[in-house]
Amino acid sequence: MHLRNAELFCDVVVQGSFSKAAEVRRVSQSAASQAVHALEKRLGAQLIDRSKRPFEVTPAGKIYFDGCQQLLKSFEQVEEQVRSAVGQTKSRVRIAAIYSVGLAQMYDYVEQFQHLYPEVMITLDYLHPDEVYQRICENQADLGLVSFPKEEKDLTSILWQEQPMVLVVHPDHHLAARESCSVSEIEDEPFVAFTSELVVRQKIDRWLRKASVHVQLIHEFDNIENIKRAVEAEAGLAILPLPTVLKEVQDHSLSVVQLEQVEWFRPIGIIQKKQKSIPDVVSKFIEVLHEDPANFSLARRESAEASASGRDQSSSKDAFSFGPLIARE
C-alpha cells in the first residue's frame, strides 16, 4: 500500500498537479490527494505545501521524492530479475521524456504500439532534460524525447515535432478575447518563465530581445505544468508550446493568443545513442511516433472488426488482449 502511495506522490510532483497525476494512474483526484495525505501522516511531515498556487514541494518532500524515485526504480529492477529467473523476459522499449511531453501527447502512440505489438513492454519516464540525456548516454533508455536537441558526438537526433509557440493568458486577461496580437503588446507585462538553465528559456529570451520586447519576470519554473498553474492563478502570462495547453484551453482555464509576424517553434527530437544497429522493437516504436494519431482509432477499429469476423468463422482463435500500457521507472 505504501508503494502505491509513493508512486502517486511521485506522479503528483512530476506532473505538478493532483488531477494530472490522477489521470496518469487512472484514479480519482481525491484518491491521489488521500495517498499523499496518508504518507504525510505516516511520516509526520508535510511533503507538499498546498497553500501556495501552484503548490510547492517542501524540503522534506524533495528528500522523499528523490528516495522514492530510487526505490521504485530498484523495485522494477528486482521484478525484471525475477522474470528473467523464471524465463518470462519480454522485449522492452525504454523511453525517457521531458516533463512537457506528457501523457496526453504520448498516450495515443503508446496505445497504438501496444495494439500492434502486445508482447512488448514499454517503460516511460518523465525527467528533467539533463536526466534524459544521462539515461541515453548510460544505456538506461533506448529513446529520449527532448526539446531543442543538442548536438552530441555520441548521440543521434531525429526531428519528431515542431510545436508552435503561443501566448498563454488567463481567460480574464485583456488579451484573452483576441485571436492574435503583436509581440510588442506584451511589453512590460508580468511574465512566468522557464528557469534560466533550460534551452527553451534561452530561446524565448533571444526571441524577445530580437523583437525588442521587455517583460517583467515574476516567476520561474523548470516545468510547463507549474507555469500553467501560475498563469491560471493570474500571476502573469507565458509563452508555451501549443500542444501543451490544449486541454486547459478546452477546459477554459487558459486562453491562447497567436503571436503575429513571428514564427517561433519548439522542436522535439528523438535522441538515441549512436550504435551500429538499432533493436527492431525500438525502430518500430519510432515508426509509430511518425504516424498520425488521428488514424490510430480507425486502424484499431478495422482490426477489431476483422478479429471479430475471424472469431465468428473459427471459435478456436483467442480474443485480442492488450499488454501493459505504461510502467513508470
Side-chain angles (χ1 to χ4, degrees):
M1 186 62 174
H2 295 318
L3 187 63
R4 177 64 171 170
N5 289 349
E7 286 180 325
L8 279 166
F9 168 69
C10 288
D11 287 330
V12 168
V13 174
V14 168
Q15 298 294 329
S17 163
F18 281 90
S19 61
K20 291 184 181 298
E23 289 179 17
V24 169
R25 289 292 165 185
R26 297 186 180 181
V27 299
S28 66
Q29 182 174 341
S30 175
S33 180
Q34 289 174 19
V36 175
H37 179 71
L39 290 173
E40 291 175 326
K41 185 176 180 180
R42 178 171 178 267
L43 294 167
Q46 186 181 28
L47 301 177
I48 291 177
D49 185 351
R50 300 165 181 78
S51 67
K52 298 180 179 179
R53 188 173 180 186
F55 68 66
E56 291 184 3
V57 182
T58 65
K62 292 177 181 177
I63 294 171
Y64 196 68
F65 173 75
D66 291 340
C68 286
Q69 289 283 78
Q70 296 174 17
L71 174 66
L72 294 170
K73 184 177 179 180
S74 297
F75 186 75
E76 183 189 339
Q77 291 172 344
V78 170
E79 287 186 324
E80 195 67 25
Q81 291 171 4
V82 171
R83 293 190 189 101
S84 298
V86 297
Q88 293 182 356
T89 56
K90 297 179 66 173
S91 297
R92 183 170 67 163
V93 180
R94 301 167 300 169
I95 306 163
I98 55 175
Y99 296 129
S100 57
V101 182
L103 191 68
Q105 289 180 260
M106 288 299 297
Y107 181 85
D108 287 338
Y109 296 103
V110 172
E111 187 177 39
Q112 174 68 0
F113 183 82
Q114 205 70 72
H115 169 76
L116 296 172
Y117 310 102
E119 74 283 357
V120 180
M121 176 182 287
I122 297 175
T123 62
L124 176 58
D125 200 8
Y126 296 104
L127 304 163
H128 186 278
D130 291 342
E131 293 177 295
V132 175
Y133 283 98
Q134 183 179 353
R135 289 282 182 93
I136 297 296
C137 290
E138 295 178 357
N139 291 315
Q140 295 179 358
D142 302 300
L143 298 175
L145 300 175
V146 295
S147 64
F148 301 98
K150 304 175 190 175
E151 293 292 334
E152 300 277 354
K153 65 177 183 179
D154 296 327
L155 302 178
T156 61
S157 174
I158 306 169
L159 180 64
W160 179 38
Q161 296 179 356
E162 282 197 316
Q163 301 176 337
M165 303 292 286
V166 294
L167 186 66
V168 180
V169 300
H170 187 274
D172 292 335
H173 191 275
H174 67 91
L175 291 173
R178 302 265 297 274
E179 290 186 5
S180 65
C181 73
S182 66
V183 183
S184 62
E185 291 184 75
I186 66 171
E187 176 73 25
D188 288 330
E189 285 277 351
F191 195 76
V192 184
F194 292 95
T195 49
S196 59
E197 80 278 2
L198 296 179
V199 177
V200 64
R201 163 67 182 278
Q202 296 160 17
K203 292 286 185 180
I204 292 172
D205 285 352
R206 198 170 300 139
W207 290 335
L208 291 173
R209 280 197 303 271
K210 188 175 181 179
S212 300
V213 171
H214 174 268
V215 292
Q216 297 182 39
L217 186 61
I218 302 298
H219 292 298
E220 295 178 280
F221 297 103
D222 67 355
N223 65 82
I224 285 178
E225 293 304 321
N226 281 344
I227 292 176
K228 291 190 291 186
R229 301 294 83 79
V231 177
E232 287 175 344
E234 300 187 70
L237 48 76
I239 295 174
L240 296 174
L242 178 60
T244 66
V245 293
L246 291 177
K247 184 178 185 301
E248 285 79 10
V249 171
Q250 184 179 7
D251 293 342
H252 305 291
S253 62
L254 291 174
S255 296
V256 161
V257 183
Q258 302 291 335
L259 292 168
E260 299 170 356
Q261 300 177 332
V262 294
E263 293 185 351
W264 296 345
F265 292 90
R266 181 181 78 154
I268 301 292
I270 304 168
I271 61 171
Q272 298 172 268
K273 193 167 185 179
K274 286 183 179 177
Q275 49 191 314
K276 293 181 179 179
S277 61
I278 302 172
D280 188 49
V281 290
V282 176
S283 296
K284 292 182 184 302
F285 191 83
I286 294 174
E287 290 175 8
V288 170
L289 285 176
H290 282 99
E291 294 178 17
D292 184 353
N295 299 327
F296 290 165
S297 58
L298 175 61
R300 287 197 291 270
R301 186 164 64 248
E302 290 175 347
S303 175
E305 290 172 355
S307 296
S309 176
R311 286 195 299 272
D312 289 342
Q313 297 174 15
S314 173
S315 59
S316 63
K317 291 185 178 181
D318 293 330
F320 178 84
S321 62
F322 283 94
L325 255 182
I326 296 178
R328 282 286 310 272
E329 285 190 342

